[in-house]
Amino acid sequence: MSYSFVPAAVNSLSKFGTSIYVKYTRSNVNQIVVKEFNFKYIWLVCPDRELVFVKNNQPLFHPMGENFDEHIDLNVFNDDVCNELDLDIYMINYNAYGPTSKSSPRARRVGRNPNAKQPHILADSGGFQLFSGVKSYIDPLDVIAWYNDNVDWGMVLDVPPIRNGRPNFGKRSALIQRKNIELMLANKKPSVELVNILQGSTYDQRMEFLKVVDHPEIDRLAFAAYRDLTVSDTASILQILGAKRKFKHYHILGVYNLLKMAPIIKIANLKGAPFMTSDASTPIQSGVNKIYHHQQTVFEPAKRIIIGNKENIPNVHSYLPCSCPICAAVKYVAILGVLDSQIITNLLSAHNIFEVKRFTNMMNELAQELDDK
């Protein structure tokens, strides 16, 4: 099989909603000029194009009487957007919506469309919010009802063990998770697949945990507590992959460091290996911090572009190095320094997601070439 990176927290790109209208022109302007700036949108005139950045997902901008050449939507709940960004899977969190949220995408209310290319939607149940104290209680029936309308694959509702010295808490955590699994399996649609979650600090603890929570109807397994992905963590994953119980899909929760993912990507591309994924919200967090990631090839060091200051005069001679849909439309580095802060965050987040996917795809290809040799 292979490895696929799963961007998490993508609901923020839809919640704040940004889209770009592009009109290609031949202008005498040799600078970036603000044509209109209001709470609805920002309209810029550049040497070879006009760009309108719509600031939210409400229909507040209608280019009536204007001929625009392109419209770029950053709403990842739009399947066409996912195809443009090369997203085959993305992750959302039940806790970000809740059982009665009107903002839920409802993307799977009638199931998948067999005649369309659609990404797979993976969901987190919110168990980590229980662990961290953000939530005091989550009903597994509410979670599975939400899954039935919104996702393809959903994490079972877990109660992560707390290292507080309480006796047998790991075993009790596993028993609670097992009860949640039974409830969720009994109430899910046939189109929804559950992902079991493996807890523990050592290989032996994890295998004992698996004995309790394993269920023959669940063929996907997620590894928790591997955020740092140390050498010993990687060795533990290899042990679990070699265990008698096999799954068709293994997912590592919350890992972004691409250097640490390199051995996992290699393992996923071995002949007969299962499908492997990992998720992280880091591309979006980088966008919030106004960081633009770019790495041309796997053999070159990664680069970061310093996003300009609004006090600087926009420079029309510095171009974005990436060819993703966002960068191809925006083109000028300076634009990322003069827009509304939320628009900049959304543009950078979408670009960073594309960049990570592009990089991991190159790593997959390299791993396959090495395997062939």
Side-chain angles (χ1 to χ4, degrees):
M1 292 293 287
S2 62
Y3 164 84
S4 185
F5 173 74
V6 181
V10 297
N11 52 288
S12 62
L13 290 177
S14 303
K15 180 179 180 181
F16 295 106
T18 299
S19 62
I20 311 169
Y21 290 87
V22 186
K23 182 200 297 185
Y24 296 105
T25 62
R26 291 184 178 180
S27 171
N28 294 325
V29 175
N30 195 31
Q31 57 184 329
I32 297 171
V33 178
V34 178
K35 182 177 179 178
E36 292 185 48
F37 191 118
N38 55 50
F39 75 96
K40 300 178 182 178
Y41 57 86
I42 301 172
W43 194 324
L44 303 179
V45 178
C46 308
D48 63 346
R49 65 195 62 196
E50 293 188 21
L51 300 169
V52 181
F53 298 88
V54 181
K55 297 171 64 175
N56 54 55
N57 57 8
Q58 299 178 20
L60 295 175
F61 176 76
H62 299 280
M64 302 299 292
E66 298 282 352
N67 294 318
F68 284 85
D69 299 298
E70 292 182 43
H71 173 243
I72 299 164
D73 185 9
L74 299 189
N75 179 2
V76 294
F77 297 147
N78 180 335
D79 292 341
D80 291 335
V81 175
C82 289
N83 292 333
E84 286 284 337
L85 294 176
D86 196 28
L87 289 184
D88 50 350
I89 311 168
Y90 63 81
M91 189 174 189
I92 55 180
N93 191 309
Y94 166 77
N95 190 57
Y97 295 101
T100 60
S101 172
K102 294 181 180 179
S103 63
S104 292
R106 301 289 192 270
R108 297 295 181 261
R109 175 163 283 183
V110 295
R112 295 179 64 82
N113 182 350
N115 301 314
K117 182 181 179 182
Q118 293 181 305
H120 282 89
I121 305 173
L122 172 65
D124 189 4
S125 64
F128 183 76
Q129 281 69 36
L130 288 173
F131 173 80
S132 58
V134 175
K135 292 282 186 179
S136 59
Y137 174 73
I138 298 175
D139 190 330
L141 293 178
D142 285 342
V143 176
I144 196 62
W146 186 82
Y147 283 178
N148 286 337
D149 278 349
N150 292 282
V151 309
D152 300 299
W153 308 331
M155 302 285 173
V156 301
L157 179 59
D158 62 324
V159 181
I162 303 173
R163 298 186 182 94
N164 59 4
R166 293 170 65 182
N168 300 319
F169 191 81
K171 180 71 175 292
R172 291 159 60 197
S173 173
L175 291 171
I176 294 170
Q177 182 170 316
R178 177 71 189 204
K179 290 181 180 179
N180 289 341
I181 288 170
E182 299 289 352
L183 280 172
M184 296 175 83
L185 283 172
N187 290 277
K188 77 176 187 67
K189 287 181 179 178
S191 58
V192 175
E193 292 188 54
L194 293 181
V195 183
N196 218 334
I197 299 178
L198 190 59
Q199 303 281 0
S201 302
T202 67
Y203 173 76
D204 289 339
Q205 287 178 358
R206 289 166 183 138
M207 297 313 293
E208 286 298 316
F209 195 92
L210 184 60
K211 285 181 184 179
V212 177
V213 303
D214 191 23
H215 195 288
E217 292 183 32
I218 301 179
D219 205 16
R220 302 179 190 274
L221 182 67
F223 301 109
Y226 282 96
R227 292 180 182 275
D228 294 329
L229 201 65
T230 62
V231 173
S232 60
D233 287 338
T234 303
S236 175
I237 290 173
L238 284 171
Q239 282 184 300
I240 294 167
L241 292 177
K244 185 176 180 180
R245 172 65 160 109
K246 305 293 183 185
F247 294 82
K248 68 180 180 182
H249 175 195
Y250 295 87
H251 181 80
I252 305 172
L253 288 159
V255 175
Y256 173 72
N257 189 309
L258 295 176
L259 291 177
K260 293 183 177 181
M261 284 306 305
I264 301 299
I265 294 174
K266 175 57 183 173
I267 293 166
N269 281 279
L270 294 174
K271 292 180 180 178
F275 180 48
M276 299 191 71
T277 56
S278 70
D279 73 86
S281 60
T282 311
I284 291 177
Q285 292 170 3
S286 294
V288 172
N289 292 325
K290 306 301 183 283
I291 297 172
Y292 178 105
H293 292 284
H294 181 66
Q295 187 164 355
Q296 191 63 30
T297 72
V298 294
F299 304 105
E300 299 178 21
K303 298 178 181 178
R304 291 185 179 184
I305 291 179
I306 299 174
I307 303 306
N309 189 307
K310 289 187 179 182
E311 296 177 355
N312 296 333
I313 299 173
N315 183 345
V316 296
H317 303 295
S318 181
Y319 305 138
L320 295 168
C322 174
S323 59
C324 75
I326 297 95
C327 296
V330 175
K331 183 178 177 179
Y332 302 98
V333 174
I335 287 177
L336 296 178
V338 299
L339 293 172
D340 173 272
S341 179
Q342 188 59 59
I343 291 180
I344 297 173
T345 292
N346 287 354
L347 294 177
L348 291 174
S349 297
H351 158 79
N352 289 337
I353 288 172
F354 177 88
E355 188 68 10
V356 174
K357 287 294 296 182
R358 189 179 68 83
F359 180 84
T360 54
N361 286 344
M362 290 190 294
M363 289 291 289
N364 274 327
E365 292 175 5
L366 180 60
Q368 291 164 8
E369 290 176 5
L370 292 173
D371 191 38
D372 292 339
K373 294 177 180 179

